[in-house]
Amino acid sequence: MLMQPTALIYSSHNRCDYLHRQWIVERALQSPDNKTILYLPFSMGRRDQQDYSWGTFRWYFDQFSQWGLRADTFFWNEHLSRVDAEIFFDMLESSEVVILGGGNAQLGFDRYGGMGGQFFGDWEMFNKILHQRQAEEKLTVGFSAGAIQLGDASLFEDGGRCYGLIHNIAATLHHEWGAEDELRVTASEHPTTLIFGLPNDSGIASNQGFLPSGNKWQALQFIVDNSWTLPADGFHIKTRQGMKIDHFYHDGRRWTFDGGDVLVRVISPDYSYQGTWILQPNTPVIYDYWTQTPTGYQSLEHILVSH
């Protein structure tokens, strides 16, 4: 039942191969006529910083051009015209995969909003197109700051608004040992949102939809990547040191997710009901998220057909 995700958030130090190839590049390559990836470095400040950010991805994507991959970028500057903005939004709409890059999340919010606000009088235009992409089952990816932007709750003190492509989810990036208390406090401050700590190199992929009952369902797939082996990067890649994806409940309890784990939620239209379950590979046991105890469900399909 796990369909292809429409949103992916992740944290990495370099271009770890499993996450970038299997979850991003292959998603573009599987399209028969639209093998495109658009990388947006708007959250980086100066043009040279945007160039650098794009360069850290371009070398990796260039390896797949022989199979038809077309990776491109769009740089922000203060002298963009309406024609430039039209080209930008056309690329945003049509690309099979779009990646919101790293940097300063609030700066990115300001620039993405400004592309619609300054040229078309619609400060929500960028956000609307992201959700349009999701409805069309295209993949939108958030890397580092982009992962914050695609979440559903602001972790900023100024209360900046996120795009919410992954419903009721927020993540802290570059998570590491010693940051557990910070993550626990963040979870207690956002009781209606599931908070995750993503270490380098890990991510969460999401797909969602509606059941015949009218209930909304969501499946989160957890990705832990141990593929990057360059010795000089070893300190930064916490997954190769054994770290998984941390999660704290708002009441302080903890659960750790490994690669291949799946969290499934079913939410009623009025939010009066929210069921959540944890599925792990190679085990028939499905855990109830709230009680952390085994349930009688046999599969993801069994959960959904029961709601």
Side-chain angles (χ1 to χ4, degrees):
M1 177 77 189
L2 282 176
M3 297 183 294
Q4 294 193 112
T6 56
L8 165 64
I9 59 176
Y10 77 101
S11 177
S12 74
H13 177 68
N14 211 316
R15 303 289 75 79
C16 48
D17 193 59
Y18 169 65
L19 200 157
H20 288 87
R21 178 164 187 173
Q22 299 303 321
W23 292 86
I24 298 176
V25 170
E26 291 298 332
R27 179 61 174 271
L29 288 179
Q30 73 182 17
S31 172
D33 55 6
N34 187 24
K35 304 179 191 299
T36 52
I37 294 177
L38 173 63
Y39 181 78
L40 297 177
F42 278 38
S43 295
M44 301 296 287
R46 303 185 309 270
R47 171 57 188 270
D48 64 310
Q49 295 172 321
Q50 295 179 60
D51 274 317
Y52 172 80
S53 180
W54 166 230
T56 64
F57 281 80
R58 181 178 53 200
W59 72 267
Y60 185 83
F61 294 147
D62 283 348
Q63 300 176 77
F64 304 95
S65 60
Q66 59 184 309
W67 290 287
L69 182 69
R70 292 181 290 123
D72 206 348
T73 189
F74 192 101
F75 297 115
W76 181 92
N77 69 70
E78 297 177 347
H79 308 292
L80 294 174
S81 66
R82 182 185 173 97
V83 172
D84 295 324
E86 290 171 350
I87 294 171
F88 169 77
F89 282 116
D90 180 67
M91 295 173 72
L92 182 67
E93 290 178 351
S94 62
S95 296
E96 191 69 19
V97 177
V98 169
I99 303 174
L100 308 189
N104 182 291
Q106 191 58 57
L107 177 62
F109 280 131
D110 294 341
R111 289 175 173 176
Y112 293 135
M115 292 297 288
Q118 294 174 19
F119 295 107
F120 303 98
D122 184 357
W123 291 86
E124 289 296 310
M125 188 171 180
F126 183 85
N127 188 23
K128 291 174 183 176
I129 293 177
L130 291 189
H131 285 270
Q132 174 186 315
R133 290 177 50 78
Q134 187 166 58
E136 295 171 354
E137 299 184 350
K138 290 183 169 71
L139 176 63
T140 304
V141 179
F143 162 68
S144 194
I148 294 174
Q149 292 161 345
L150 290 189
D152 203 19
S154 173
L155 304 185
F156 303 112
E157 292 182 1
D158 62 7
R161 181 172 175 269
C162 296
Y163 298 128
L165 259 65
I166 303 186
H167 189 60
N168 281 140
I169 296 296
T172 62
L173 290 306
H174 314 294
H175 182 63
E176 56 186 338
W177 289 289
E180 293 87 356
D181 286 344
E182 179 182 351
L183 193 65
R184 185 184 291 106
V185 170
T186 301
S188 69
E189 292 174 344
H190 297 80
T192 63
T193 302
L194 300 185
I195 307 294
F196 299 92
L198 295 179
N200 297 335
D201 297 329
S202 70
I204 303 173
S206 170
N207 56 296
Q208 55 198 24
F210 290 92
L211 298 171
S213 63
N215 290 332
K216 184 173 186 175
W217 68 272
Q218 179 188 60
L220 305 178
Q221 303 176 62
F222 296 89
I223 306 163
V224 174
D225 188 340
N226 297 303
S227 63
W228 191 255
T229 59
L230 189 67
D233 290 341
F235 170 80
H236 302 282
I237 303 174
K238 303 306 179 183
T239 55
R240 287 188 62 83
Q241 300 173 31
M243 195 170 196
K244 311 303 181 185
I245 297 173
D246 248 343
H247 168 66
F248 282 93
Y249 294 63
H250 65 84
D251 61 8
R253 288 180 296 157
R254 183 182 187 183
W255 189 282
T256 301
F257 291 91
D258 201 352
D261 290 352
V262 177
L263 187 143
V264 179
R265 294 199 292 176
V266 175
I267 305 169
S268 63
D270 62 359
Y271 284 81
S272 62
Y273 171 79
Q274 180 174 306
T276 310
W277 302 268
I278 299 171
L279 290 70
Q280 298 173 310
N282 305 317
T283 175
V285 177
I286 294 178
Y287 292 92
D288 180 272
Y289 166 85
W290 302 105
T291 65
Q292 297 186 348
T293 58
T295 70
Y297 291 113
Q298 303 300 313
S299 65
L300 170 60
E301 290 77 9
H302 188 193
I303 293 172
L304 298 185
V305 76
S306 302
H307 293 82

